[in-house]
Amino acid sequence: MASTITLDETSPAADDVAEPFIPGNREILGLEMQVETPENVVLSYQLAGPSQRYVAYLIDFLIRTMMLVAIFMFFIAPLMELLMPGAMLGLFLVIMFLNTWGYYTISETFFKGKSIGKHACGLRVIREGGYPITFWPSLLRNLARSADSIIFYGVGITSMLMTRRFQRLGDLLAGTVVVQERSLELPRKPIILNKIKPLDKNEIGSFLPRDEVLSLIDEFIGRRHVLTYERGHALAAQLAKRLAKRLHYSGDEKKVSQYPMAFLASVYKTFSFSQDQEEQELVDEYNKRSEMPGEETYE
């Protein structure tokens, strides 16, 4: 899922936004769908057209057919001589129900809105508000699949062509849309480590941040220019306070509360290269001792 963050006009990255989204504007018919969240973040999605969705359906149909054949050969066939015809018919209908509706509902609920066919085509089901799909909306949209599939999915395709967001009847009923997944690489600015001072070892305890935490700091500071100053400061302050507490930091409190991003950069420099520095110190110490006069070396 790709998303675009609405930036403040004073942000350096604001110039990269060609047409900012203005709430209340009339939506234009097209493949783009924009949703504004309560946090004033605008999410931009590219809708999936009927042809893409039909290809995904054919892939899923092939997989479901193979599953039915396997179930019939290894499960139903051995029971045909043990069960009465009526029981066999009932069992077959239950399996058909699970194969048709259960396959999509389970896939979309537990695999982030994707079935195997949707994954192969780069598609995903989400809620109209941009939220991930959950069990009940997925069950509702797939229960309506029987109506959409009339005349070889002619009803569903007609509904998609007549709606603004290419929604079939099940989507309209459950409030869902199918979108294309797009990868978005945010611009980065490197951390200039030679201008950052590491933390004083006398002001911190023995706690060592995990590599995941250091990677998070690296990613956050590298994309600091994308956020406004207020938003970046608020996000950095949360992590800085927690790290200062875990590190038992006894230095200047203002560095944590007033300059949290600088504190995070100091933490990154302190611990990301600490092991290399210790190894280099051991090498230097060994070389120093080996050069001292009066010491003998043994082979």
Side-chain angles (χ1 to χ4, degrees), residues 1 56 60 103-126 133 138 141 178-181:
M1 177 181 71
D60 286 324
Y103 170 83
Y104 288 103
T105 302
I106 293 173
S107 299
E108 294 171 358
T109 302
F110 296 101
F111 296 99
K112 300 180 180 179
K114 295 189 291 184
S115 62
I116 298 176
K118 289 184 178 68
H119 178 74
C121 295
L123 307 181
R124 181 193 300 272
V125 184
I126 61 172
I133 190 171
S138 178
R141 76 184 297 271
V178 180
V179 298
Q180 302 179 42
E181 290 189 307

Side-chain angles (χ1 to χ4, degrees), residues 21-49:
F21 175 72
I22 302 176
N25 277 11
R26 184 179 179 182
E27 295 187 40
I28 301 175
L29 182 62
L31 292 178
E32 288 292 328
M33 181 186 76
Q34 292 182 323
V35 179
E36 184 179 14
T37 68
E39 295 81 12
N40 296 324
V41 176
V42 176
L43 304 178
S44 177
Y45 302 95
Q46 186 171 358
L47 296 169

Side-chain angles (χ1 to χ4, degrees), residues 210-227:
R210 295 180 301 172
D211 292 338
E212 293 85 350
V213 176
L214 298 177
S215 298
L216 175 63
I217 295 175
D218 180 36
E219 289 290 328
F220 176 75
I221 298 179
R223 296 191 172 102
R224 61 194 180 276
H225 60 289
V226 177
L227 302 171

Side-chain angles (χ1 to χ4, degrees), residues 112-165:
K112 300 180 180 179
K114 295 189 291 184
S115 62
I116 298 176
K118 289 184 178 68
H119 178 74
C121 295
L123 307 181
R124 181 193 300 272
V125 184
I126 61 172
R127 303 294 302 275
E128 285 183 317
Y131 304 105
I133 190 171
T134 54
F135 174 77
W136 292 112
S138 178
L139 179 63
L140 192 60
R141 76 184 297 271
N142 286 299
L143 285 176
R145 188 177 293 275
S146 57
D148 283 308
S149 61
I150 297 175
I151 317 177
F152 300 101
Y153 267 86
V155 174
I157 294 176
T158 302
S159 176
M160 279 187 261
L161 295 175
M162 295 181 63
T163 53
R164 185 174 53 203
R165 295 180 173 178

Side-chain angles (χ1 to χ4, degrees), residues 61-282:
F61 179 77
L62 178 61
I63 294 172
R64 291 191 296 111
T65 302
M66 295 172 61
M67 291 172 59
L68 275 179
V69 172
I71 292 172
F72 181 82
M73 292 178 58
F74 298 104
F75 182 70
I76 296 181
L79 295 176
M80 292 183 65
E81 297 180 357
L82 301 177
L83 298 178
M84 298 181 65
M88 287 299 303
L89 179 60
L91 180 61
F92 178 76
L93 292 177
V94 170
I95 293 175
M96 283 292 296
F97 176 84
L98 294 175
N99 180 266
T100 303
W101 290 277
Y103 170 83
Y104 288 103
T105 302
I106 293 173
S107 299
E108 294 171 358
T109 302
F110 296 101
F111 296 99
K112 300 180 180 179
K114 295 189 291 184
S115 62
I116 298 176
K118 289 184 178 68
H119 178 74
C121 295
L123 307 181
R124 181 193 300 272
V125 184
I126 61 172
R127 303 294 302 275
E128 285 183 317
Y131 304 105
I133 190 171
T134 54
F135 174 77
W136 292 112
S138 178
L139 179 63
L140 192 60
R141 76 184 297 271
N142 286 299
L143 285 176
R145 188 177 293 275
S146 57
D148 283 308
S149 61
I150 297 175
I151 317 177
F152 300 101
Y153 267 86
V155 174
I157 294 176
T158 302
S159 176
M160 279 187 261
L161 295 175
M162 295 181 63
T163 53
R164 185 174 53 203
R165 295 180 173 178
F166 300 110
Q167 294 169 290
R168 62 177 178 84
L169 297 181
D171 291 319
L172 293 172
L173 187 63
T176 57
V177 292
V178 180
V179 298
Q180 302 179 42
E181 290 189 307
R182 297 180 296 179
S183 59
L184 177 63
E185 185 68 26
L186 293 176
R188 284 179 53 89
K189 284 188 176 181
I191 305 175
I192 306 176
L193 294 175
N194 58 353
K195 295 184 179 181
I196 299 173
K197 293 183 179 180
L199 298 175
D200 190 340
K201 293 184 178 180
N202 297 321
E203 297 177 348
I204 57 177
S206 58
F207 173 75
L208 295 176
R210 295 180 301 172
D211 292 338
E212 293 85 350
V213 176
L214 298 177
S215 298
L216 175 63
I217 295 175
D218 180 36
E219 289 290 328
F220 176 75
I221 298 179
R223 296 191 172 102
R224 61 194 180 276
H225 60 289
V226 177
L227 302 171
T228 61
Y229 173 79
E230 293 77 10
R231 185 58 177 165
H233 181 90
L235 292 174
Q238 298 179 21
L239 181 57
K241 290 178 181 178
R242 296 187 64 179
L243 279 176
K245 184 177 180 181
R246 295 294 301 274
L247 291 168
H248 299 287
Y249 178 68
S250 59
D252 188 3
E253 290 291 338
K254 292 183 179 180
K255 188 172 184 179
V256 180
S257 58
Q258 297 184 10
Y259 308 102
M261 201 169 295
F263 177 78
L264 292 179
S266 297
V267 170
Y268 179 81
K269 184 170 184 179
T270 302
F271 294 100
S272 60
F273 299 100
S274 59
Q275 185 176 359
D276 295 339
Q277 290 176 353
E278 290 176 0
E279 292 177 354
Q280 186 62 41
E281 289 175 1
L282 291 174

